Amino acid sequence: MSAEMLPRPVDCQLCTELSGQVGPDVWEKLRALAERVATAEPVGAALHAAVAGLATLLPVTRVSIVARLGQDALRVIASSDDEKAGDLLITLDRYPELLHVLAAGEPLLISQVQSSPLLESVRESLEASSVSSIAAVPFTLEGMPLILRTTSHDSALSDRELTLITAAAHLLTHVSRSRTKMGSDDVWSRLCLRMADVVLDISSEGRVLRSIGDPRTIFGERADQIVGAHVSDLIHFGDRDWAWGRIQTMLESDRPLPYESYVLTTSTQPRRRFTAYGAPVRSLIPHLRVALRALDDQEDQAQLERFIDLVPLPTFVFDDQGRVRRANTAAARLLARPLEEIVSLELSHLLHHPTGSTTVPGPGGLPLPVKAIESRVDDTAASPWLVSLLDLRPFAGAQEREDRMRSTLQRQIQELEQAHQHLEELDELKSHFLAASSHELKTPLTIVQSYLEILTSDLAEGLSEQQLAFIQIAHEGVLRLRRLVFDLVDLAALESGQIPLTIQRVEISSLVRRAVKEMQPLAGKAEVTLAAEVPDAVGAVRADPQRLLQVFQNLTDNALKYTQAGGSVTLEIVQDTDTVHVHVRDTGSGISEDKLPHIFDPFVRGERSPSGERAGSGLGLAICRRIMSALGGRLRVETLSGQGSVFSVSLPRWPDEDDGRPAGPAS
């Protein structure tokens, strides 16, 4: 950074006023100090260089920069005293002068500590420390309210020294803007806000410095209630030490991290799934910026449906108003009613309690004796309320058999939990096996493909037509197997959060046109019209161009497979203020209602294609959904069976006021 990046007094009205008050000689010394701070490396040492240099220009003992944390705590983030070099927590009741500055928002000068009524409660401790004079100036750095505080032991500070301190704080704000602009921190901040519900700035010691957005959407608490809290008290990953270690890893990283999904727990908010994006901000106040976005509950609802379908007992899910939200097929058999009629029934219309027993209306309205077993999906207050019914007719007059059934049921639940844990372990082993085996298969498949291509090109003259046909069939089989292997490798990397991403500014219109151009041969073979509808002046997005192109190609290929000859597939771009949407629209057969909740699950395929074949491995849509989550975007589907489908890709727009870097290529 050159010195010319700092403004001259003529460029800033306040600089003009302050330079006139402190004098040209002192002003040039302050500017020289600011220029050293502007070029200090590492960036984290810049504030310490600033306060150490300022201490040499003033008749003071110590210079500190203090940030507020919460309602009653402060944090010393830089000090000219090596023993108090930063990350020191103090309480406001010990520093009434700082509490006064925070409330008034104006500089404060106490030239004689012994005679100040404001310091009466702490006078003894100040005199014990030989502090005779105090000055404090509020200012804002990188959006964080700070205080520049000086103390003197031997001399009384004057109004001139207070003006000099104010000028130093003002020049620091210029240095901060210059360094932040170079680091594109402002662009990253706006992208965070567009991707997230809440953005947290976290200090190097793990405390929340600032909350951007409304934290109540995730934490259930206001910003002033979480500022100052340790992040491991807000975000629980199951183990506090592991959580803090993860945060430290993010702080030490030099680039934005890939997406990761965790379970978020706070003392006032029930368990909630969210996606976290983190990137270190290399500025005068080194910190981690984390964007938190609550996941839409489509996947959680699908998991709940699969869960209750596995329960052998008639089971109902109730909302807070006591109405049935979902029921399993066993419940429909017990009540002899279709599921559509059961949903939205009220609890009082479903369960009756005559003479202390519980009944439900069975076939013909006859009461059926049941035992209601109430539970929640997990141990949080907002968790869905489940009621399973045990039909008591086979146990009428046999209490001992009911007791045995209860014991059996408890044992089966225990076995189910153990089986569930075992299945999770097997699923993890499966993922490791797929990743390892797929990786090992890539090389031999490439070799086989190469030899087959040599046979069909260089040695074709010595082969009969039948031999060439056999080789061509083998070659097509190898290509299909290679595509499956590469899909398995991508899926394993995405599920482990280790997919390599090259995030940059991407012109999405060029990417859509390229996808349409490359898929035209397949469209022509299927006799389907493929087109792109791209408006003028489409905004750029934040993405990995190769991975985003993979999403467009997979969605287009999927649409072509399930669209009859004579139909059409269209890629349409629609944009609003903050988001760019790409709709992949087809006139195909659509997706049936029973498959729609699971369409993004691995190995799930739609109905047979118009050719009568079930093409593909069922991995394409699963990979697309996971790539979009990794990019901070969304992938949704709308369909009417027999009338086609629309897959919608949504990504945050790159801010118009970018940092001057060119957009990433579409290739």
Side-chain angles (χ1 to χ4, degrees), residues 361-544:
L366 295 176
L368 300 178
V370 295
K371 175 70 174 180
I373 305 171
E374 301 180 7
S375 62
R376 291 192 180 273
V377 174
D378 54 54
D379 56 356
T380 60
S383 173
W385 175 32
L386 271 62
V387 176
S388 297
L389 301 181
L390 180 62
D391 189 352
L392 295 182
R393 287 176 296 175
F395 308 98
Q399 182 64 43
E400 65 280 3
R401 293 173 61 191
E402 181 181 347
D403 293 338
R404 287 199 300 270
M405 179 61 73
R406 189 195 305 274
S407 175
T408 301
L409 183 60
Q410 290 176 346
R411 185 177 68 254
Q412 288 179 344
I413 290 175
Q414 212 170 30
E415 291 173 354
L416 281 173
E417 291 175 347
Q418 294 173 353
H420 178 69
Q421 182 178 358
H422 182 59
L423 285 173
E424 286 185 336
E425 294 172 355
L426 289 177
D427 185 63
E428 185 176 355
L429 288 174
K430 179 264 298 180
S431 298
H432 288 309
F433 171 76
L434 286 177
S437 59
S438 301
H439 181 75
E440 292 297 327
L441 284 171
K442 287 169 64 176
T443 300
L445 282 173
T446 302
I447 295 174
V448 172
Q449 178 186 351
S450 300
Y451 280 126
L452 288 173
E453 290 172 351
I454 291 173
L455 285 173
T456 57
S457 58
D458 298 346
L459 304 178
E461 295 180 358
L463 300 175
S464 66
E465 290 186 4
Q466 185 180 36
Q467 290 172 330
L468 285 173
F470 289 160
I471 292 174
Q472 183 62 32
I473 293 171
H475 185 253
E476 291 175 356
V478 168
L479 291 179
R480 284 196 299 271
L481 190 55
R482 284 194 76 221
R483 284 195 295 270
L484 175 60
V485 167
F486 278 94
D487 283 348
L488 288 171
V489 171
D490 278 351
L491 184 63
L494 285 162
E495 288 185 339
S496 63
Q498 297 177 352
I499 190 73
L501 295 175
T502 304
I503 301 298
Q504 60 191 46
R505 183 174 180 269
V506 176
E507 294 293 348
I508 196 168
S509 57
S510 301
L511 217 56
V512 167
R513 290 191 180 99
R514 177 183 170 185
V516 169
K517 180 179 179 181
E518 293 182 356
M519 300 301 290
Q520 283 293 352
L522 285 179
K525 183 178 179 181
E527 300 180 12
V528 173
T529 302
L530 176 61
E533 294 183 2
V534 181
D536 297 332
V538 177
V541 297
R542 172 194 179 277
D544 179 322

Side-chain angles (χ1 to χ4, degrees), residues 141-373:
L141 206 61
E142 300 174 14
M144 300 179 190
L146 305 174
I147 298 176
L148 186 58
R149 179 180 183 267
T150 65
T151 58
S152 176
H153 287 184
D154 303 322
S155 59
L157 295 172
S158 65
D159 289 337
R160 186 175 185 278
E161 275 88 27
L162 182 64
T163 303
L164 193 151
I165 297 169
T166 303
H170 178 66
L171 282 175
L172 277 179
T173 62
H174 285 304
V175 174
S176 172
R177 293 192 192 105
S178 299
R179 298 203 72 142
T180 300
K181 183 177 180 182
M182 289 185 67
S184 304
D185 179 50
D186 191 42
V187 173
W188 167 245
S189 298
R190 295 200 298 277
L191 280 170
C192 278
L193 286 171
R194 292 182 180 181
M195 289 190 295
D197 299 313
V198 180
V199 176
L200 299 181
D201 283 342
I202 302 171
S203 71
S204 57
E205 62 169 4
R207 296 195 177 274
V208 178
L209 296 172
R210 180 173 53 168
S211 172
I212 307 172
D214 187 358
R216 289 175 296 184
T217 58
I218 289 184
F219 296 100
E221 296 181 337
R222 300 188 309 273
D224 60 345
Q225 293 174 305
I226 68 171
V227 170
H230 199 279
V231 68
S232 59
D233 291 329
L234 297 173
I235 303 175
H236 290 185
F237 307 89
D239 180 82
R240 179 189 172 100
D241 293 337
W242 186 91
W244 176 226
R246 185 68 186 134
I247 295 297
Q248 288 178 312
T249 300
M250 296 172 80
L251 280 165
E252 294 168 1
S253 175
D254 291 327
R255 58 184 176 82
L257 297 180
Y259 84 104
E260 300 183 24
S261 294
Y262 303 115
V263 176
L264 169 67
T265 308
T266 71
S267 58
T268 59
Q269 190 78 343
R271 186 167 66 183
R272 176 170 295 177
R273 287 179 60 80
F274 72 96
T275 302
Y277 307 84
V281 180
R282 305 302 180 193
S283 58
L284 293 184
I285 307 177
H287 58 280
L288 176 70
R289 180 153 292 158
V290 178
L292 305 179
R293 177 168 60 87
L295 290 175
D296 48 9
D297 58 358
Q298 182 178 353
E299 293 183 3
D300 289 339
Q301 296 300 329
Q303 287 181 350
L304 179 60
E305 289 181 2
R306 289 194 292 269
F307 172 77
I308 64 172
D309 282 337
L310 291 174
V311 178
L313 297 177
T315 302
F316 307 83
V317 181
F318 290 90
D319 60 19
D320 294 336
Q321 285 74 41
R323 291 187 178 89
V324 178
R325 286 171 46 195
R326 285 176 177 78
N328 62 5
T329 53
R333 286 196 301 269
L334 177 67
L335 302 182
R337 301 171 70 174
L339 288 174
E340 293 79 8
E341 292 183 13
I342 299 174
V343 174
S344 297
L345 281 177
E346 293 185 5
L347 178 62
S348 59
H349 295 163
L350 182 63
L351 297 181
H352 303 155
H353 305 279
T355 64
S357 62
T358 301
T359 65
V360 296
L366 295 176
L368 300 178
V370 295
K371 175 70 174 180
I373 305 171

